[in-house]
Amino acid sequence: MEFETEKREEREKRVREIMKRLEEHYREVPMSFLEASTPWQLLFATILSAQCTDARVNKVTDLLYRKYRSVQDFADCDLRELERDIHSIGFYHSKARNLKACAAVLLEKYGGRVPDQLEELTALPGVGRKTANLILGRVYGKPSIVVDTHVRRVSNRLGLAKSSDPLKTELQLQDSLPREFWTRWNTRVMALGRTRCSSLKPKCESCYLKDLCPSRDGDPGYWRAARKKPGS
């Protein structure tokens, strides 16, 4: 089941069985994902989630969205005060600047509405491709693949991608996965990555995908970023 040599029909059959089992098992341990009641709240929560757990972000936004009730409130807020409001989240200085700047752009260019095109989303302050794809999938129902650390690691181990680069992984998954699975892949694989397929000590022997996983006998490490040589 090598990435380059597995026949397309064989891969699709394996992927469908993988997704079937993920659907059956991913709720075995309650997962915490980003919570939001409006598109702009989800967008801002995702900006805050960079290098931070969803659980921590949800705790902060639970209070944050009671204080700042609209995009206009974020655009008009005092930056230092906003920094204090999100100080328990990493990189709060830059994230506060991005939230305020993003709110201003949303008001100026889109009337406060969150755009529904990848290029428009990624042009917003603090919004990268991962955030944009999450919005496209969860808010607008457009097939999109969100590549976070779990998706990159697990997808590589499953032999459905072969890269440490998020963009390359996304493009390879677009080729490996039926389009109907694109949006759901993130949450299902994230759940697997958190509970079994961890970075350092994956629980391969007890994994319900081990007979479908080419990495059960050894981590190929394709998902790991190449280490720089000293002096490079």
Side-chain angles (χ1 to χ4, degrees):
M1 290 186 288
E2 286 294 325
F3 178 71
E4 296 90 348
T5 60
E6 186 178 23
K7 293 181 180 179
R8 180 170 293 275
E9 58 270 21
E10 294 174 343
R11 177 172 298 173
E12 179 170 346
K13 182 179 179 181
R14 185 165 64 93
V15 167
R16 289 190 177 280
E17 181 60 26
I18 287 172
M19 180 57 82
K20 176 176 176 291
R21 296 185 194 182
L22 286 173
E23 297 278 35
E24 293 172 349
H25 290 277
Y26 84 103
R27 291 188 184 278
E28 61 180 1
V29 175
M31 290 289 103
S32 174
F33 299 116
L34 293 175
E35 298 172 355
S37 57
T38 67
W40 69 262
Q41 285 183 353
L42 180 60
L43 175 64
F44 288 5
T46 310
I47 292 174
L48 291 172
S49 71
Q51 300 187 50
C52 185
T53 66
D54 288 355
R56 166 56 60 182
V57 172
N58 288 337
K59 185 175 182 180
V60 170
T61 55
D62 181 54
L63 297 175
L64 194 68
Y65 294 154
R66 297 181 195 179
K67 181 175 182 179
Y68 305 96
R69 296 179 176 275
S70 67
V71 175
Q72 188 72 60
D73 287 346
F74 276 94
D76 294 341
C77 74
D78 177 79
L79 183 60
R80 298 304 177 194
E81 185 176 355
L82 180 57
E83 288 179 348
R84 290 193 295 271
D85 291 332
I86 65 170
H87 76 279
S88 63
I89 291 179
F91 306 100
Y92 64 90
H93 289 300
S94 60
K95 289 179 181 180
R97 288 196 302 271
N98 284 332
L99 288 184
K100 185 174 173 65
C102 185
V105 174
L106 289 179
L107 290 168
E108 180 182 351
K109 295 189 66 174
Y110 304 104
R113 182 184 67 86
V114 176
D116 62 356
Q117 299 298 319
L118 181 67
E119 295 77 12
E120 294 177 336
L121 285 165
T122 54
L124 295 172
V127 177
R129 194 175 181 93
K130 181 179 76 171
T131 298
N133 277 324
L134 186 143
I135 295 299
L136 291 176
R138 284 185 55 177
V139 174
Y140 294 109
K142 295 185 176 183
S144 56
I145 298 174
V146 179
V147 178
D148 59 12
T149 56
H150 295 291
V151 170
R152 186 173 72 247
R153 179 178 69 254
V154 177
S155 298
N156 273 267
R157 283 175 170 169
L158 286 170
L160 302 176
K162 189 177 181 180
S163 179
S164 62
D165 180 77
L167 177 56
K168 289 181 180 178
T169 299
E170 179 188 336
L171 296 177
Q172 290 169 354
L173 286 175
Q174 287 179 0
D175 184 61
S176 295
L177 303 176
R179 194 176 180 85
E180 65 199 84
F181 294 160
W182 286 12
T183 302
R184 285 180 289 162
W185 190 252
N186 172 250
T187 53
R188 277 43 170 183
V189 170
M190 183 187 294
L192 179 66
R194 288 178 177 179
T195 58
R196 294 182 185 273
C197 199
S198 61
S199 175
L200 297 178
K201 295 182 179 180
K203 302 173 183 177
C204 297
E205 285 305 311
S206 62
C207 183
Y208 43 82
L209 298 179
K210 64 181 180 180
D211 60 312
L212 300 170
C213 181
S215 302
R216 60 185 177 273
D217 297 321
D219 187 351
Y222 300 139
W223 55 275
R224 300 179 189 274
R227 293 183 179 181
K228 292 184 178 180
K229 296 181 180 179
S232 61

